[in-house]
């Protein structure tokens, strides 16, 4: 299958552009309530103000909250015991002009669900950057992944914001940002325990991805770091840790060029890396800009190598210009390696500069769930397959039942604007789609008018639940109530029936990029 065989053309211009901006900026809508990422940069103040920062700003929240025994509409399922954690950027001080909404300090929230009750808590990650800036009373790291502008006083400190994802590993929460090591936090209190967590010295990479996977057979944590030997290095370190924190395998490879390696895939036999033209831009960095720009005309590379080996067998299969940010799932059958990604023709982020100075195109930036495939039995595969799985659904931030990260899977979930709006004169409803890949069908949960859904997270009904049997949850922000947040909890097999329970918070909360479910059995009892 060639890349042209089964791919959909770019979405037609006849479709409302706002639909695509909202979709491409699914992340941002979750971040900012009514704003989208695409609109966000213009809303920043024109200069870093002198004196104390304004208490409010378009992207700032900053309030750390506790709500005990939250108000609930409906009934929390008796078998739902655990915690839903999420993180996102919440700038400690207003972002500099030209900076992007992927910068800003990580603010972690927790919905602890037990015995039909919910306690809510949110805390900043008190990492090296946060503490230094708190002391100075100002921003010391003014530009996204550009150390050249850093205040001289922060030399040697971790630049990590830990604003992208949060997972649990070996009794700790790990808050993640792909340019630095994790920060370890307490699963109950959200206290930062270690601002630069290096797995007791085992982490050799200078960075750690925001998207580790869990081995479906062993429960091992599978992860990697890119720019692993420092700023602008082509080195990638891929590694595997047991659930009790022992490194059991690692390999080193080099990418063909330094692009954003935001996510990756591991299957039973293979590691897959995907290089996109959101590329390192030295000239832009020297001008005071961010780490990346979209380098039109550059190829993509689908890289793969065997797990358990030394990485020397890595093969890079060249493909057309595309973007892919998040993986929904992936598996191999011994001959073919399949990876399902959110894919767009060009730059998916309106705030990431186009290197050629052209205007960002929200239609070419709109993402579809797309299956990439390579025949790994071939000595030198010449191309990889690109097949659009759900041409009607435009969205980012797909998820699956994470117990199926490395094996064949059937169900996926995606936040998306209503693919079949009943009233085309209105903004399409924010939805969750549930995909059944076995018969390529889909099911929809439509949120109400003025509600924006963040990324969803799946919680299995119990350790022995079937794939997809459990709950789908996510934060719903009410634009017409100042961004006030609910947590909606759906039956993951019947999301079209609407929430089983809605946890009602009294206020807006810090925004989210990604969230993670931790079963109650993995949360240590509270310390006295
Ligand atoms: C993403 C988010 C990031 C980042 C790089 O969703 C990629 C994609 C919140 O930070 O730094
Ligand atoms: Fe991500």
């Amino acid at each position: 299958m060639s890349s042209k065989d089964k791919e959909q053309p770019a979405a037609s211009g006849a479709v409302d552009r706002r639909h695509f901006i909202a979709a491409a900026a699914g992340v941002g809508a979750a971040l900012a309530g009514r704003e989208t990422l695409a609109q966000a940069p213009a809303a920043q103040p024109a200069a870093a103000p002198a004196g104390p920062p304004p208490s409010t700003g378009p992207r700032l929240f900053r309030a750390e909250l506790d709500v005990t025994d939250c108000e609930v509409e409906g009934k929390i399922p008796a078998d739902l015991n655990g915690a839903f954690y999420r993180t996102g950027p919440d700038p400690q001080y207003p972002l500099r002009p030209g900076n992007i909404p992927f910068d800003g300090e990580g603010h972690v929230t927790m919905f602890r669900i037990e015995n039909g009750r919910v306690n809510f808590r949110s805390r900043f990650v008190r990492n090296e950057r946060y503490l230094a800036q708190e002391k100075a009373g100002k921003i010391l790291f003014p530009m996204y992944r550009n150390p050249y502008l850093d205040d001289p006083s922060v030399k040697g400190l971790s630049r990590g914001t830990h604003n992208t994802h949060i997972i649990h590993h070996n009794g700790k929460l790990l808050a993640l940002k792909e340019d630095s090591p994790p920060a370890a936090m307490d699963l109950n209190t959200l206290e930062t325990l270690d601002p630069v967590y290096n797995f007791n010295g085992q982490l050799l990479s200078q960075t750690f991805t925001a998207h580790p996977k869990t081995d479906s057979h062993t429960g091992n944590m599978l992860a990697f770091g890119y720019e692993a030997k420092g700023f602008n290095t082509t080195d990638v370190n891929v590694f595997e840790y047991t659930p009790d924190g022992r490194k059991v395998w690692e390999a080193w490879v080099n990418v063909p060029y330094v692009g954003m390696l935001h996510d990756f895939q591991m299957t039973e036999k293979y590691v897959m890396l995907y290089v996109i033209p959101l590329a390192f831009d030295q000239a832009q960095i020297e001008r005071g800009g961010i780490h990346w720009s979209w380098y039109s005309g550059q190829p993509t590379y689908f890289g793969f190598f065997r797990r358990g080996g030394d990485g020397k067998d890595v093969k890079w299969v060249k493909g057309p210009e595309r973007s892919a940010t998040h993986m929904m799932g992936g598996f191999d059958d011994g001959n073919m390696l399949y990876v399902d990604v959110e894919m767009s023709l060009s730059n998916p982020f309106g705030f990431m500069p186009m290197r050629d100075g052209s205007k960002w195109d929200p239609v070419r930036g709109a993402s579809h769930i797309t299956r990439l495939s390579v025949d790994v039995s071939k000595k030198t595969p010449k191309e990889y397959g690109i097949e659009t799985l759900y041409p009607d659904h435009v969205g980012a931030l797909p998820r699956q039942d994470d117990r199926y990260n490395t094996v064949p899977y059937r169900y996926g979930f995606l936040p998306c604007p209503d693919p079949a709006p009943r009233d085309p004169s209105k903004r399409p409803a924010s939805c969750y789609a549930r995909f059944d890949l076995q018969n390529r069908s889909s099911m929809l949960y439509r949120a109400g008018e003025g509600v924006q859904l963040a990324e969803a997270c799946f919680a299995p009904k119990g350790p022995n639940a079937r794939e997809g049997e459990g709950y789908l949850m996510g934060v719903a922000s009410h634009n017409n109530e100042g961004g006030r947040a609910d947590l909606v909890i759906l039956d993951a097999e019947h999301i079209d029936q609407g929430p089983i329970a809605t946890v009602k918070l009294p206020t807006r909360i810090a925004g989210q990029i990604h969230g993670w479910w931790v079963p109650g059995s993995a949360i240590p009892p509270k310390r006295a």
Side-chain angles (χ1 to χ4, degrees):
M1 180 169 46
S2 87
S3 61
K4 277 150 210 93
D5 280 346
K6 291 196 194 166
E7 204 180 356
Q8 290 295 316
S12 88
V15 185
D16 181 357
R17 285 192 122 214
R18 280 181 317 166
H19 175 99
F20 287 101
I21 294 171
V27 177
L31 268 171
R34 81 189 73 190
E35 289 181 271
T36 67
L37 281 183
Q39 296 157 342
Q44 299 309 320
S55 59
T56 58
R59 307 210 62 82
L60 282 65
F61 182 65
R62 304 175 86 236
E64 299 181 306
L65 302 173
D66 282 286
V67 184
T68 304
D69 203 357
C70 297
E71 185 187 339
V72 175
E73 228 172 67
K75 197 168 182 313
I76 300 286
D79 57 4
L80 190 59
N81 174 8
F84 174 50
Y85 299 91
R86 48 198 280 293
T87 186
D90 185 7
Q92 204 173 356
Y93 298 110
L95 296 176
R96 283 290 173 85
N99 204 350
I100 62 171
F102 281 175
D103 214 3
E105 285 58 47
H107 190 155
V108 173
T109 55
M110 165 178 72
F111 291 86
R112 180 71 173 99
I113 304 174
E114 197 175 15
N115 301 324
R117 295 187 184 201
V118 184
N119 290 335
F120 176 85
R121 166 165 287 191
S122 87
R123 294 289 184 273
F124 273 106
V125 187
R126 283 177 167 66
N127 50 33
E128 294 190 332
R129 167 188 183 110
Y130 180 96
L131 295 175
Q133 292 185 158
E134 183 180 52
K135 201 164 165 198
K138 60 176 188 180
I139 281 189
L140 302 173
F141 301 80
M143 192 55 61
Y144 177 80
R145 299 190 62 181
N146 181 348
Y148 295 11
L149 299 188
D150 289 354
D151 190 277
S153 67
V154 303
K155 207 172 162 53
L157 296 188
S158 169
R159 301 193 84 259
T161 52
H162 306 112
N163 67 11
T164 312
H165 203 357
I166 181 125
I167 64 161
H168 96 281
H169 173 70
N170 194 17
K172 294 175 187 69
L173 267 182
L174 300 183
L176 307 175
K177 180 71 175 185
E178 65 199 48
D179 69 347
S180 41
M185 302 172 83
D186 186 282
L187 281 150
N188 286 300
T189 63
L190 301 186
E191 182 192 341
T192 300
L193 304 172
D194 187 349
V196 188
Y197 185 69
N198 64 11
F199 300 82
N200 299 318
Q202 297 174 94
L203 182 68
L204 301 184
S205 172
Q206 293 181 26
T207 62
F208 188 99
T209 179
H211 289 284
K213 304 283 176 271
T214 304
D215 187 287
S216 298
H217 300 295
T218 62
N220 284 358
M221 182 187 70
L222 315 169
F224 73 103
Y226 73 94
E227 297 190 48
K229 292 188 179 171
F231 195 70
N232 193 25
T233 56
T234 58
D235 306 86
V236 179
N237 185 204
V238 183
F239 38 79
E240 176 162 351
Y241 286 79
T242 60
D244 60 358
R246 204 159 38 85
K247 186 165 71 179
V248 287
W249 173 69
E250 74 181 310
W252 290 86
V253 298
N254 288 279
V255 282
Y257 64 84
V258 179
M260 187 175 81
L261 247 53
H262 183 62
D263 199 343
F264 83 133
Q265 196 54 255
M266 270 218 224
T267 64
E268 288 170 299
K269 295 208 183 73
Y270 291 95
V271 179
M272 181 269 196
L273 300 168
Y274 193 66
V275 183
I276 63 169
L278 197 52
F280 180 87
D281 190 334
Q282 179 72 35
Q284 180 173 284
I285 289 165
E286 284 171 12
R287 290 195 303 270
I290 66 165
H291 205 78
W292 309 119
S293 63
W294 186 267
Y295 193 1
S296 296
Q298 286 300 109
T300 48
Y301 288 93
F302 181 121
F304 68 93
F305 58 99
R306 272 177 303 104
R307 281 180 68 175
D310 59 6
K312 293 210 169 73
D313 58 321
V314 66
K315 287 171 188 163
W316 294 102
V317 186
K318 204 168 170 169
E321 174 178 347
R322 290 289 182 279
S323 179
T325 305
H326 295 108
M327 315 289 175
M328 188 163 80
F331 56 95
D332 73 79
D333 66 8
N335 292 316
M336 296 295 293
L337 172 54
Y338 298 99
V339 180
D340 299 339
V341 300
E342 73 187 34
M343 172 155 278
S344 54
L345 293 171
S346 180
N347 186 0
F349 304 115
F351 51 80
M352 295 276 195
M354 301 293 289
R355 193 172 298 196
D356 63 9
S358 65
K359 222 172 140 258
W360 179 65
D361 180 344
V363 174
R364 289 174 55 80
S367 301
H368 293 91
I369 298 299
T370 304
R371 178 159 290 184
L372 308 182
S373 56
V374 160
D375 186 342
V376 291
S377 69
K378 281 199 177 132
K379 205 165 173 185
T380 48
K382 291 249 160 14
E383 58 189 4
Y384 61 85
I386 305 179
E387 179 190 6
T388 310
L389 297 184
Y390 286 92
D392 297 336
H393 295 72
V394 172
L397 309 171
R399 294 294 291 265
Q400 68 174 162
D401 179 337
D402 285 321
R403 296 171 302 166
Y404 290 76
N405 278 176
T406 58
V407 295
Y409 73 108
R410 181 166 174 182
Y411 303 109
F413 305 98
L414 181 74
C416 57
D418 192 341
R422 290 159 191 157
D423 182 353
S425 71
K426 282 192 179 150
R427 198 187 175 106
S430 182
C431 296
Y432 289 140
R434 171 192 186 260
F435 299 132
D436 180 343
L437 294 164
Q438 192 158 301
N439 50 31
R440 296 277 171 96
S441 66
S442 64
M443 185 192 278
L444 214 60
Y445 163 62
R446 287 184 175 86
E449 216 175 310
V451 175
Q452 182 64 53
L453 296 170
E455 181 205 48
C457 185
F458 174 79
K461 225 169 157 52
N464 303 314
R466 282 175 285 114
E467 183 188 354
E469 183 193 10
Y471 306 100
L472 190 70
M473 62 188 84
V475 167
S477 301
H478 296 254
N479 296 339
N480 43 18
E481 298 176 46
R484 197 191 59 74
D486 287 342
L487 178 70
V488 294
I489 301 173
L490 303 152
D491 178 337
E493 294 178 301
H494 303 284
I495 65 169
D496 55 343
Q497 292 174 4
I500 306 170
T502 303
V503 181
K504 317 276 292 181
L505 291 175
T507 171
R508 178 188 157 195
I509 58 174
Q512 170 186 350
I513 302 288
H514 296 293
W516 188 260
W517 173 258
V518 181
S521 58
I523 302 176
K526 278 186 196 149
R527 287 179 297 174

